Amino acid sequence: MVIATVLVWSCAPAPTPFDEAAAIERGRGIAGATFQQLSARLQAAMASDGPSGALQYCSVAALPLVDSLSAAQGVRIKRTSDRIRAPHDAPDADEQRRLNEVLALLATGTAPADIPSQAVVLGDSVAYYQPILIAMPTCLKCHGAAVTDVDSLTMAAIRERYPQDAAMGYRVGDFRGLWSIRWKR
C-alpha cells in the first residue's frame, strides 16, 4: 500500500512554481481595466446627474459590472477596505490580513503611494492585492468630509442606501482600500 501511494504521488505533476512578478503584472492589468470601466461610467453619471447620481450608479450598477468583468477574466474581482460603504465589500480573513499589513505600514509613516501591490498563493489560488488611493478631488464628492466635500443631497443618499457607511472623511492621496483579485493557480 505504501509503495502504491509513493508511486502515485511521484507520478503526479509537480506544482507549477509561483511567479510573483507575472501574478502582479496580471493583477495590475485586471485592476487597471476594471478601474477604467468603473471610472468611465462613474464620471458619466457624475457629469449627467452630479454626485448623488454617481452614488446611485455605484449602488446599483458597480457590483454587476465588476461581476461581469470577473466572469470575462475568469477571476474574482473585489474592492475592500477597513472602512467599507457596502456590506458586500467587507474583507474576508485573507483580505483583512493584507489590510492590517497596509495599515501597519501607514502607521509607521509609509506614504500611501508607496504601499506595494502584493501577490500570494492561497491554497490552489493566487491572491493579488493593490492599494486603492483617493486619486482626485472628484472622489471627495462621495468620500470626503461631510458638508465641506459631500453635498447635502449626496449625504442624504449615502445615509439612505448605506446606513452603516464608514467610507467618508478622506482626502486626496489617502489610502481608501484594496483591489482584491483571485484566480485559480
Side-chain angles (χ1 to χ4, degrees), residues 56-142:
Q56 170 67 19
Y57 168 80
C58 277
S59 70
V60 172
L63 184 59
L65 174 64
V66 170
D67 286 347
S68 70
L69 294 170
S70 291
Q73 293 282 341
V75 300
R76 193 228 44 200
I77 304 169
K78 181 179 170 187
R79 295 171 295 156
T80 191
S81 179
D82 61 315
R83 294 168 51 190
I84 63 169
R85 174 157 285 164
H88 62 262
D89 292 332
D92 66 22
D94 294 307
E95 292 162 341
Q96 188 63 58
R97 175 200 52 80
R98 181 58 183 156
L99 281 167
N100 291 344
E101 291 170 358
V102 169
L103 295 171
L105 288 169
L106 294 169
T108 64
T110 301
D114 293 336
I115 302 294
S117 296
Q118 180 187 61
V120 296
V121 173
L122 296 175
D124 65 349
S125 298
V126 172
Y128 171 78
Y129 304 112
Q130 177 180 311
I132 299 171
L133 306 182
I134 298 292
M136 59 189 89
T138 305
C139 301
L140 300 179
K141 294 187 182 289
C142 295

